[in-house]
Amino acid sequence: MDEKKTISVQQFMQKFGTEAQCRQYLFDKRWPNGFVCPRCAGQKYSYLSNGFLQCSRCRHQTSVTVGTALHKSHLPLTKWFEAFYIAWQNNRYISTAEIQTRFGVTYKTALYIKTRIYKTLAQYSEDRYSMERSQILLDIEQRNNDTERMSAAI
């Protein structure tokens, strides 16, 4: 099994510090041999002002985030990438409160981010321990939230 690659915070920010850099990274991962329209297999496209790509042949619009944990999120890609970086590099539990404070989002948004991060890490992790750990952490968090809701309702 390959060891996990580590990079410093400075290296990370140089590589993923802007929306454009994050978008380009996702583009390159999604279409390593260049854009291919998911509808008609056309290869020419244009960027739209909303960040979508539009096929020049069939005019189908798609995004680099479709089919990823980031799909349909209004959170900037830089925040998503930083959250994934923290979870992956530190290989530790990240509390919902930490995400909420660090990124200035609501508790509900922070929980949404954390859930998607751990599900994604578990899905792509080669280490069974990491996958089990991610699921256990999600289960604990969900039980805590359910307990808080029940206490508030009583």
Side-chain angles (χ1 to χ4, degrees):
M1 180 170 25
D2 294 330
E3 285 191 34
K4 178 173 60 170
K5 295 179 183 175
T6 59
I7 62 171
S8 70
V9 174
Q10 184 179 7
Q11 290 170 319
F12 174 82
M13 292 308 293
Q14 287 174 344
K15 188 170 182 177
F16 303 113
T18 67
E19 285 291 306
Q21 289 172 313
C22 294
R23 218 169 264 294
Q24 186 62 50
Y25 176 81
L26 291 173
F27 182 95
D28 294 342
K29 288 295 182 184
R30 182 166 181 166
W31 298 293
N33 299 318
F35 175 79
V36 177
C37 176
R39 183 178 285 163
C40 74
Q43 296 180 340
K44 293 186 179 180
Y45 66 95
S46 56
Y47 279 105
L48 303 177
S49 60
N50 62 3
F52 282 75
L53 294 94
Q54 181 171 287
C55 175
S56 299
R57 184 193 295 174
C58 72
R59 306 186 68 73
H60 175 72
Q61 295 179 8
T62 189
S63 168
V64 295
T65 62
V66 171
T68 70
L70 317 177
H71 185 58
K72 292 188 177 181
S73 171
H74 298 287
L75 196 66
L77 292 177
T78 52
K79 288 186 179 185
W80 273 108
F81 274 57
E82 185 178 348
F84 271 102
Y85 172 79
I86 293 165
W88 182 252
Q89 289 296 120
N90 297 332
N91 199 21
R92 66 176 175 85
Y93 173 76
I94 301 172
S95 72
T96 305
E98 181 181 351
I99 293 171
Q100 182 182 12
T101 303
R102 181 180 285 260
F103 299 117
V105 296
T106 65
Y107 183 86
K108 184 177 176 182
T109 300
L111 183 59
Y112 173 80
I113 292 167
K114 186 174 101 174
T115 301
R116 286 198 169 190
I117 287 171
Y118 281 112
K119 283 183 178 179
T120 302
L121 291 178
Q123 181 181 359
Y124 291 103
S125 177
E126 294 176 1
D127 180 7
R128 184 169 173 79
Y129 169 75
S130 295
M131 294 187 329
E132 291 171 353
R133 179 175 171 261
S134 296
Q135 189 56 50
I136 289 167
L137 295 174
L138 285 173
D139 290 345
I140 290 169
E141 180 82 20
Q142 188 60 46
R143 274 191 234 123
N144 289 342
N145 289 337
D146 292 345
T147 304
E148 289 171 12
R149 283 191 209 115
M150 288 185 346
S151 298
I154 296 176

